[in-house]
Amino acid sequence: MSVRVDGKKSDGVPEGTKRLSRLARILKGPRPEHVPAVVGTVAAVIGLLDILAGVVPRWRWSRVHSFAEVLPGSVTQLAAAGSIIVGILLLMLAHGLKRAKQQAWLAAVVLLPIGAAAQLIYRHSYPGVAFSLLVFAYLIWHRKAFFALPDPRSRWKALANFVLMGAASFGLGWVIVGSHPKQMIGDPPVLEQIEHVIWGLFGFEGSIRYTGGVDYTVGYSLGALGLLTVATTAFLAFRPAYPAAVLTEEDEDRLRELLDKHGARDSLGHFALRRDKSVVFSPSGKAAVSYRVVSGVMLASGDPIGDVEAWPGAIEKFMELAKRHSWTPAVAGCSETGGEVWTRETGLDALEMGDEAIVDVADFSLTGRSMRNVRQMVKRIERNGYSTKVRRVGDLGPEELEAVQKAANAWRDTEDERGFSMALGRIGDPKDLDAIIATAHKDPEEGEDCPFGDLRAMQHYVPWGPDGSSLELMRRDRSADPGMNELLIVAFLQAAPDLKIKRLSLNFAFFRSALERGGKLGAGPVVRIQRTVLVFLSRWFQIESLYKFNEKFRPRWEPRFVVFPNSRDLPRIGFAMMQAEGFLELPRLLRRRPAEPKASVHDEDAVSASEVTRAA
């Protein structure tokens, strides 16, 4: 019960008691879960100060340098190289410390005493030694706060480190070479400065000369940068690697058993069989969550697979694994029921991300004014000589299936396959013979170059329980008439009764409700602004066009949600989702080649499949 005193709300607790409680919280320090964030931020700030103290000469006698002297990692006034290297190492450790990584904690625990010894020997800075040891003791006292296991390892990270660290060392070395203009003899041109940096990184003396002993400072700094690049690259290259994270045959078989029993519940269930995902099962084995780790986000897609009553067990295992590795847990595209279970069991929050278009076969018809545009388009294409075939994958001959596979790859817009939430990533697998392929055909005209014969377009549908299908892939020859996708969807819906299909899931329409409400008469300014932003983004992403395409078939809309820990995590989760779906791609140099499935990877600490990028 609360009361008001002098117009202010009071809960009945004396003000003196409140002040004592606040003072106690301050003296107690940050809560254990906040320790990694605090330490990581301090490490980053100290790293920047150390780098600036080593690169910018005048800062050595400034107040900023005087402040940096008593911080962990600072070294003597003449040891600019050591200051720069320690600063870089602290910056490299900062992110790991924020994520509560055990290895980052161990590295910081090792480096802090070394920094303290350096200050005592070279600087005789007793405050700096005391502060370093204080931070060292703080880390030891809160060692249990740094529990996270290492992220998945890859030999490609060594190459990426060599390229990125080499580029950073070169840039920083160029700054060091040019940061002593008054002590530099002559005015060497840019090419000579570049040559001096390159020779210095390899440990050799360049052609530029300095006065006042600056030669040693620059030479040691460049040599230390080069040594740091080589040392970190060698460490990443020769450390033991974890087993490749892919969906094993045994895990896939277990998922298929769950889908046979409960696959009708979620249209996205079959996409859990992507072989670049990992899976975690409930203790009873009656439910599972498939996921991929992207940029530190443990991203699940759709609802958990299996018995709804066993979902909490699978979700608990998912959250335990995310906590153990300090990954950010998130779910993309879960249903309303799935979102309720996720938020209830984990305390996470949910946000509507769009709607799924579902067409009931029994209610579909081309008659009526609302279907006029689709009807006219289909009739026009058929008059132009196109025909369609809708069959199970198992009913296609080997040669025809091979032609469809090659055509699908050749007609792809991007170099790599896109998709995560509603993409399987393969066609014609022996375990997916119950999938459905719809094809459009037209005999080539005289002189027309058609490498795939009369095949002009194709669509791939995966099972959604015993009586449903989900559209997985749409591809067409760019020389074919417009409207191939509409033609094949109509053909599929017309053939669905013979295939015993009662419902079809089309695509997601992201932020459909905002687009729909914002275009209506009387829409408020906030909704109109949202729609304007979405229309603008549709220039690069299929937002408005996908909504309009789905709306042609008069579907019913089922909301889909994204589940996330905090609002501040949404940008990072959105970035990870775009990476997973293939809309944002890392440079090819930084990506891993796909690994073949291992015999068994069942340890719940196994590497996430997100680190294996499937080839085109």
Side-chain angles (χ1 to χ4, degrees):
M1 180 177 178
S2 62
V3 296
R4 289 187 176 272
V5 180
D6 297 332
K8 296 184 179 180
K9 193 174 182 179
S10 173
D11 53 7
V13 180
E15 186 65 25
T17 303
K18 290 183 178 180
R19 292 178 180 176
L20 290 175
S21 299
R22 286 196 294 267
L23 180 61
R25 287 196 298 269
I26 294 173
L27 294 176
K28 188 177 180 180
R31 290 182 294 178
E33 61 269 21
H34 296 161
V35 169
V38 173
V39 174
T41 302
V42 171
V45 173
I46 294 172
L48 290 174
L49 289 174
D50 284 339
I51 292 175
L52 289 175
V55 172
V56 184
R58 63 185 180 85
W59 280 46
R60 296 178 188 164
W61 295 277
S62 67
R63 294 182 179 179
V64 175
H65 183 70
S66 299
F67 174 71
E69 289 179 359
V70 298
L71 295 177
S74 58
V75 290
T76 68
Q77 184 175 353
L78 298 178
S83 181
I84 293 170
I85 298 307
V86 171
I88 293 177
L89 290 174
L90 286 173
L91 287 177
M92 294 174 63
L93 288 174
H95 183 64
L97 290 171
K98 285 185 176 181
R99 295 180 60 193
K101 292 295 183 180
Q102 289 179 349
Q103 288 187 344
W105 174 87
L106 180 61
V109 166
V110 171
L111 286 175
L112 283 171
I114 296 175
Q119 293 184 61
L120 182 62
I121 295 173
Y122 296 110
R123 188 70 180 177
H124 307 293
S125 175
Y126 297 105
V129 173
F131 194 85
S132 297
L133 295 179
L134 181 63
V135 177
F136 171 80
Y138 186 81
L139 285 175
I140 295 296
W141 179 262
H142 292 284
R143 61 187 180 276
K144 293 183 179 180
F146 298 87
F147 54 83
L149 298 177
D151 284 340
R153 298 172 177 175
S154 168
R155 303 301 183 198
W156 288 100
K157 289 187 177 180
L159 180 59
N161 178 84
F162 179 77
V163 174
L164 296 178
M165 182 66 76
S169 298
F170 176 81
L172 190 55
W174 198 354
V175 173
I176 293 172
V177 169
S179 62
H180 305 273
K182 295 182 179 180
Q183 288 78 25
M184 187 181 296
I185 299 176
D187 187 16
V190 173
L191 291 179
E192 188 175 354
Q193 294 182 29
I194 294 175
E195 181 182 358
H196 190 87
V197 172
I198 295 175
W199 282 111
L201 292 176
F202 283 96
F204 299 100
E205 186 176 359
S207 59
I208 300 179
R209 295 292 179 267
Y210 298 87
T211 61
V214 178
D215 288 284
Y216 295 101
T217 301
V218 174
Y220 288 148
S221 299
L222 295 177
L225 287 172
L227 181 61
L228 179 63
T229 301
V230 173
T232 54
T233 301
F235 170 75
L236 293 173
F238 294 107
R239 65 177 180 172
Y242 285 126
V246 293
L247 191 66
T248 65
E249 291 186 8
E250 184 176 347
D251 289 341
E252 183 176 345
D253 292 339
R254 294 176 66 185
L255 281 177
R256 289 184 182 275
E257 291 178 3
L258 294 178
L259 289 172
D260 289 340
K261 297 178 182 179
H262 308 281
R265 218 212 57 79
D266 186 14
S267 62
L268 305 187
H270 199 84
F271 301 115
L273 300 174
R274 281 183 66 107
R275 288 166 184 160
D276 59 354
K277 288 184 178 181
S278 289
V279 62
V280 57
F281 290 89
S282 65
S284 65
K286 294 182 179 180
V289 176
S290 65
Y291 67 91
R292 185 195 296 177
V293 177
V294 183
S295 298
V297 176
M298 190 176 182
L299 189 63
S301 58
D303 292 342
I305 309 299
D307 189 354
V308 176
E309 295 183 358
W311 282 8
I315 292 174
E316 182 180 0
K317 289 292 185 181
F318 177 90
M319 296 298 293
E320 288 178 357
L321 187 58
K323 183 178 180 180
R324 188 172 295 113
H325 288 274
S326 190
W327 292 328
T328 301
V331 186
C334 65
S335 67
E336 187 170 2
T337 301
E340 291 176 352
V341 176
W342 273 101
T343 54
R344 184 185 69 234
E345 297 296 328
T346 63
L348 302 178
D349 204 352
L351 179 68
E352 184 173 342
M353 61 180 290
D355 297 270
E356 178 186 8
I358 298 176
V359 179
D360 294 314
V361 173
D363 298 334
F364 177 77
S365 174
L366 283 177
T367 60
R369 184 176 181 84
S370 61
M371 298 299 295
R372 179 181 177 182
N373 291 336
V374 176
R375 182 173 63 251
Q376 290 179 345
M377 180 176 293
V378 170
K379 294 298 182 183
R380 176 181 57 80
I381 295 174
E382 290 176 345
R383 287 195 300 269
N384 289 342
Y386 287 88
S387 61
T388 59
K389 297 179 182 179
V390 181
R391 294 158 291 173
R392 299 277 182 184
V393 171
D395 297 333
L396 273 70
E399 295 182 358
E400 187 175 6
L401 180 58
E402 183 180 2
V404 171
Q405 292 170 334
K406 290 181 178 179
N409 289 330
W411 296 337
R412 186 171 51 221
D413 289 336
T414 57
E415 187 176 357
D416 288 338
E417 195 79 65
R418 282 183 174 177
F420 169 70
S421 300
M422 297 188 70
L424 188 62
R426 60 181 183 267
I427 301 174
D429 189 89
K431 293 186 177 182
D432 297 322
L433 299 181
D434 52 348
I436 298 173
I437 287 183
T439 54
H441 305 266
K442 180 184 179 182
D443 293 332
E445 298 179 0
E446 185 176 354
E448 187 176 5
D449 183 18
C450 295
F452 305 106
D454 65 346
L455 183 62
R456 297 304 182 92
M458 61 80 57
Q459 291 180 353
H460 187 227
Y461 299 82
V462 299
W464 172 15
D467 59 356
S469 286
S470 292
L471 176 59
E472 190 262 339
L473 190 67
M474 297 188 295
R475 296 279 163 79
R476 70 179 184 89
D477 188 347
R478 292 303 172 188
S479 63
D481 291 0
M484 289 292 104
N485 291 328
E486 291 87 342
L487 173 68
L488 289 180
I489 291 177
V490 170
F492 176 90
L493 291 170
Q494 292 175 340
D498 295 334
L499 297 171
K500 297 183 170 100
I501 301 298
K502 297 181 179 179
R503 50 187 178 167
L504 169 64
S505 170
L506 291 175
N507 299 296
F508 278 175
F510 291 95
F511 308 110
R512 181 199 66 88
S513 58
L515 286 170
E516 185 180 36
R517 294 197 307 268
K520 289 183 177 180
L521 182 65
V526 176
V527 178
R528 288 184 180 274
I529 292 175
Q530 290 178 346
R531 186 179 187 279
T532 301
V533 172
L534 292 174
V535 171
F536 176 77
L537 293 176
S538 296
R539 299 180 181 181
W540 297 277
F541 307 104
Q542 293 180 345
I543 299 177
E544 185 182 26
S545 60
L546 198 57
Y547 161 61
K548 290 183 177 180
F549 175 82
N550 291 330
E551 185 65 25
K552 292 180 181 180
F553 302 95
R554 297 294 178 249
R556 56 183 171 91
W557 298 100
E558 294 289 342
R560 290 281 177 169
F561 299 85
V562 56
V563 178
F564 56 95
N566 297 289
S567 298
R568 63 176 178 271
D569 296 317
L570 278 175
R572 184 182 179 192
I573 293 172
F575 183 80
M577 289 172 59
M578 296 182 70
Q579 280 185 274
E581 296 290 351
F583 292 108
L584 292 177
E585 298 179 1
L586 295 176
R588 179 167 295 275
L589 181 64
L590 304 183
R591 291 187 283 168
R592 292 174 55 180
R593 293 179 180 178
E596 294 297 327
K598 302 293 181 183
S600 178
V601 183
H602 298 296
D603 181 35
E604 63 182 7
D605 289 340
V607 181
S608 167
S610 66
E611 301 299 321
V612 181
T613 303
R614 185 168 40 80

